[in-house]
Amino acid sequence: MAPRKLAAGNWKMNGTLASLAEVEALAEAHPAPSCDVLICPPATLIHALASRIAGRGIKVGGQDCHASHSGAHTGDLAASQLADVGASHVILGHSERRADHGETSGAIAAKARAAHEAGLVAIICLGETEAERDAGQTLDVIAGQLAASLPEGATAANTVIAYEPVWAIGTGRTPSSEQIAEVHALLRADLSKTLADGADISLLYGGSVKPSNAAGIFAIPHVNGALVGGASLKAADFGPIVAALSAA
Ligand code: 13P
């Protein structure tokens, strides 16, 4: 099996019920893309979105989950609760959660294990800061985060890895093609060494992906899709990114 192509939208803390019309417009404009399409809205919208686009080929995911399946954790959500309302995926270890909530790679591995037990695909995010890149530490940082964030039992069927340089998120800046290629080659080599089917794990790039740069990014070796923030909120922006991945 080759890695599956995935165009994933991370809405972060954006969107209300009215925003779901954008996903319907996306489904209408791109009825049969030759890649997987996923929208991860705020948790408040997962059930409504899953109900509205059921059977139209677009998957729905969460943006975080707890490592436990239930209990006294006010404000948190279990992976099984996300699955219960229609999620198939969950983003874990996004740099905004690592920064805002102090999430460590070990905590992310525990959450990924819970996601797998609930039948969800875990999208595990990794990325260096600008200071780490400037200090020449990018490959060491990424290899370290990968080793510590990947849970036992990870397979190409239940895990996706997203490389998101922190300095490229929401800034309009992207790494060069060579810089993305270098990190994705490292991820592929490490995963192939560690996991029996590591060659088949989907590797996403994220950070200022736009309609204008998507095709170039999808042409880079070992880039199997994108994790898109701002440009996933509007069908007019995300649609061309889905089309570029379909054509890649
Ligand atoms: P932007 O596409 O807005 O840069 O965000 C990327 C991101 O963080 C996706 O998870």
Side-chain angles (χ1 to χ4, degrees):
M1 151 182 146
R4 293 180 73 90
K5 294 196 283 184
L6 173 62
N10 174 10
W11 281 14
K12 309 189 179 186
M13 199 172 70
N14 298 294
T16 59
L17 284 170
S19 317
L20 302 186
E22 290 294 332
V23 188
E24 285 181 324
L26 179 73
E28 262 155 51
H30 301 275
S34 67
C35 61
D36 292 336
V37 179
L38 169 72
I39 299 289
C40 299
T44 49
L45 298 177
I46 292 174
H47 186 237
L49 179 57
S51 307
R52 282 208 9 204
I53 56 159
R56 299 177 71 177
I58 295 180
K59 298 169 196 283
V60 183
Q63 299 177 10
D64 178 48
C65 71
H66 198 275
S68 298
H69 293 299
S70 65
H73 303 290
T74 301
D76 282 314
L77 290 169
S80 53
Q81 292 175 312
L82 299 176
D84 182 48
V85 290
S88 57
H89 291 63
V90 62
I91 298 169
L92 295 173
H94 192 282
S95 61
E96 287 151 15
R97 291 211 57 90
R98 289 181 189 253
D100 294 354
H101 300 273
E103 290 190 8
T104 62
S105 293
I108 291 154
K111 290 176 179 218
R113 206 171 298 120
H116 292 161
E117 285 165 8
L120 297 181
V121 176
I123 302 177
I124 298 174
C125 303
L126 318 168
E128 82 285 3
T129 63
E130 186 155 33
E132 288 165 340
R133 177 161 285 280
D134 290 347
Q137 296 167 347
T138 298
L139 296 184
D140 285 343
V141 166
I142 298 297
Q145 288 179 348
L146 179 67
S149 307
L150 200 65
E152 260 177 56
T155 68
N158 67 19
T159 303
V160 170
I161 303 294
Y163 168 52
E164 298 204 309
V166 177
W167 53 273
I169 294 175
T171 59
R173 297 164 59 205
T174 54
S176 67
S177 296
E178 292 72 23
Q179 288 171 327
I180 296 174
E182 185 181 38
V183 171
H184 279 243
L186 168 88
L187 292 171
R188 180 64 74 218
D190 275 13
L191 289 165
S192 299
K193 249 185 272 158
T194 329
L195 304 178
D197 61 357
D200 301 326
I201 288 209
S202 296
L203 303 180
L204 311 184
Y205 167 78
S208 297
V209 176
K210 310 282 177 217
S212 55
N213 62 17
I217 290 170
F218 297 145
I220 298 169
H222 302 299
V223 174
N224 309 119
L227 183 53
V228 183
S232 71
L233 295 170
K234 297 279 175 218
D237 295 325
F238 200 43
I241 294 172
V242 169
L245 184 58
S246 282

